[in-house]
Amino acid sequence: MTRSYDQSCPAARALDVVGGRWSLLIVRELLLGPRRYTDLVAGLPGIGPNVLAERLRELRDAGILSQAKLPPPAPSAVYELTELGASMRPVIDELTRWGMRLPASSRPGDTFRLSWVLGCLRASFRPEEAIGVRETYEFRVDGDAFHLRVDDGALDIRNGSATDPACVITTDLGTFMAVGARLVDIQDAAARGLAELEGELPAAARAIAIVGAHPEATGGRHGIVGAVGATFRPEHALGVRETYEFVIGGLVFHARVDDGTVEMGLGPAADAVTTLVTDLGTFLQLGVGSLPLEDAVSADVISVNGDLEAALRMADAFGVVRAGGPVSVH
């Protein structure tokens, strides 16, 4: 039983209801639509069955959620938010926005679910980009489907397929995140076979503009080359004069560093001191700080060809997370 703060304060009363461990995360899952008990177990790795059952009962007793029956052909009991529970959407969104400002880190044992990315999409939604837009976009990512419904500046994100999508984008998680982060243009991803697009390209472009990374996230430069250039930290490259080459899923580009300045360019570099070779998904993880360079090398998901010390200088100049331990290059 969740203990009460016994304070006559709206904030304390709210925490009496949703302040227990897992309670807000249960609400997070249900904001994407009704969920079966097994769906909640899958979306909340680490929760014990007794704790989940108790939290569901507490939230139901508080009027946050209710139980309903799905209609045939697959009748089953589901949990869904009440009007009171659904009104917590701005609270969860603001908490997500605040969390996105914290330093990115990945700890041993951390898990990852696509539904958690969807909360970030909702939190990064820009209503001004969706004024006058009324359409639905469907995404199929590694076998999971969800859709975004935009209605003149308002957004609703739900699990499952859509009945009337303006476009359907099918891809893997790495490409999905790269497109959303503006590291890869959706048209380029489709042309390179990284994504399959059904429907009109302009509709897909609108979807990315509405919920993708803000233009200032890459200094107005969208695409892998521009985004990498935007992460350059001049103060970490003073006195450095060397060229680094990147081979990312078949795309080759380079960065020429000259005493705190950088010049990005497509294609290989004849004078590269080191070359980083990896796939798009791993490269994205390096970029967002969820995968240290040394860990990627140790796991053989990335290779560094050339001067190892130069690779470490490159990582420092472009803000790639370091694990702090020794690196063994194969």
Side-chain angles (χ1 to χ4, degrees):
M1 181 73 177
T2 303
R3 297 180 59 182
S4 172
Y5 289 100
D6 295 322
Q7 296 181 14
S8 182
C9 162
R13 286 198 299 272
L15 289 175
D16 282 345
V17 175
V18 297
R21 190 166 186 237
W22 298 105
S23 295
L24 283 177
L25 298 185
I26 291 173
V27 174
R28 177 198 68 187
E29 294 298 304
L30 295 179
L31 282 172
L32 296 173
R35 308 290 273 170
R36 297 171 299 178
Y37 182 87
T38 53
D39 296 329
L40 292 173
V41 171
L44 299 166
I47 193 171
N50 292 340
V51 174
L52 177 56
E54 183 170 345
R55 292 294 179 268
L56 290 172
R57 179 183 57 78
E58 292 170 352
L59 293 172
R60 184 184 60 221
D61 291 347
I64 302 297
L65 59 80
S66 62
Q67 282 184 276
K69 283 279 190 181
L70 287 179
S76 61
V78 295
Y79 295 90
E80 59 184 1
L81 293 176
T82 62
E83 183 178 352
L84 177 62
S87 68
M88 291 188 64
R89 185 184 303 274
V91 177
I92 300 295
D93 286 351
E94 196 56 45
L95 184 64
T96 302
R97 292 188 191 97
W98 184 79
M100 291 166 68
R101 295 169 56 190
L102 298 177
S105 62
S106 180
R107 297 167 297 183
D110 279 359
T111 53
F112 182 85
R113 295 290 185 276
L114 176 63
S115 62
W116 307 341
V117 177
L118 304 187
C120 295
L121 291 182
R122 192 175 59 239
S124 64
F125 173 59
R126 285 167 286 166
E128 69 276 8
E129 296 281 352
I131 300 299
V133 177
R134 291 182 172 86
E135 54 191 4
T136 301
Y137 318 106
E138 181 177 327
F139 292 84
R140 301 171 186 168
V141 181
D142 287 337
D144 291 327
F146 68 94
H147 60 274
L148 319 177
R149 187 176 300 277
V150 177
D151 186 6
D152 192 20
L155 172 70
D156 189 25
I157 302 181
R158 295 281 173 168
N159 283 305
S161 299
T163 56
D164 57 345
C167 67
V168 178
I169 299 174
T170 303
T171 188
D172 60 272
L173 181 60
T175 303
F176 170 73
M177 294 181 67
V179 169
R182 302 297 186 93
L183 292 178
V184 177
D185 181 79
I186 182 59
Q187 185 174 11
D188 181 43
R192 294 167 55 196
L194 299 172
E196 180 181 336
L197 174 62
E198 302 174 38
E200 296 295 326
L201 179 62
R206 282 192 295 273
I208 302 305
I210 288 170
V211 295
H214 293 230
E216 57 268 24
T218 59
R221 297 168 291 180
H222 302 331
I224 293 179
V225 179
V228 171
T231 67
F232 181 67
R233 302 186 295 178
E235 68 278 9
H236 289 256
L238 295 178
V240 177
R241 292 181 173 86
E242 53 194 9
T243 301
Y244 314 117
E245 188 173 270
F246 303 84
V247 180
I248 311 300
L251 175 67
V252 182
F253 61 98
H254 61 271
R256 194 177 306 278
V257 176
D258 184 7
D259 191 21
T261 65
V262 65
E263 179 182 346
M264 306 297 299
L266 284 170
D271 57 343
V273 294
T274 191
T275 299
L276 184 149
V277 183
T278 189
D279 61 274
L280 181 61
T282 301
F283 186 70
L284 179 64
Q285 288 182 285
L286 289 172
V288 300
S290 63
L291 179 65
L293 176 63
E294 294 92 333
D295 291 353
V297 172
S298 298
D300 287 327
V301 294
I302 188 173
S303 64
V304 176
N305 304 323
D307 188 337
L308 174 58
E309 292 301 321
L312 298 181
R313 288 192 293 272
M314 177 273 294
D316 189 42
F318 289 93
V320 176
V321 172
R322 295 277 311 284
V327 181
S328 177
V329 179
H330 304 286

